[in-house]
Amino acid sequence: MNHFNASTALSGNQRLELLQEANKLIATATQAAGGPIGLEPVIGIMQFVGVYDTPTPLQSIAVEEILGEVETAGIKLTPGLVVLIKNSPRQNVLDARASYIKAYGKGGGNNPANLFYRILENENLRKSKVEV
């Protein structure tokens, strides 16, 4: 999965299927290893079968940059929010940030992280429907 690549944005069902396949792969790898294994071997297997692409350094910089932009809007990054941001097209994150600031101002609302999460989810959903 390429981060911030609109052409590879996955629908909810596609993400669910991908996670289910990844869980099957992890279970198979754990069974083959005879016990729990570390993250690195699992990522290596996922890369080998084409389920996971390692972000390039440029993508990593882009991720850090976009996370920083979200934080400057007064939004505390939670683990779930970071995952959603990393799996969203860059433009959707920027549009969601602009919508958040327009509606709530920087750091506004009762729970900025949750508000932004919902705005970004809706942005991803809205734009995925437009592409279909």
Side-chain angles (χ1 to χ4, degrees):
M1 138 180 26
N2 291 327
H3 304 290
F4 300 109
N5 187 344
S7 65
T8 60
L10 300 174
S11 71
N13 287 339
Q14 289 171 320
R15 282 187 284 209
L16 178 60
E17 289 174 11
L18 181 62
L19 286 173
Q20 289 171 337
E21 290 303 314
N23 282 333
K24 289 178 189 174
L25 183 62
I26 291 169
T28 302
T30 301
Q31 184 179 14
I37 58 176
L39 181 61
E40 291 79 17
V42 173
I43 289 175
I45 293 167
M46 292 172 72
Q47 290 170 334
F48 179 75
V49 297
V51 176
Y52 177 81
D53 291 332
T54 304
T56 63
L58 181 60
Q59 289 171 322
S60 297
I61 291 168
V63 168
E64 293 305 315
E65 181 182 303
I66 198 78
L67 291 173
E69 288 184 33
V70 170
E71 281 185 308
T72 62
I75 300 162
K76 182 180 177 190
L77 297 174
T78 62
L81 182 55
V82 170
V83 169
L84 179 63
I85 291 169
K86 287 181 176 182
N87 290 310
S88 298
R90 179 180 172 80
Q91 192 58 50
N92 289 9
V93 177
L94 295 175
D95 292 347
R97 180 183 180 273
S99 295
Y100 171 85
I101 290 173
K102 183 177 179 182
Y104 300 102
K106 289 190 174 187
N110 290 335
N111 185 342
N114 188 50
L115 287 169
F116 184 76
Y117 188 98
R118 297 293 170 226
I119 292 169
L120 181 53
E121 271 188 332
N122 290 334
E123 191 71 26
N124 288 338
L125 182 60
R126 184 177 66 82
K127 289 189 177 172
S128 70
K129 287 181 179 179
V130 171
E131 292 175 5
V132 174

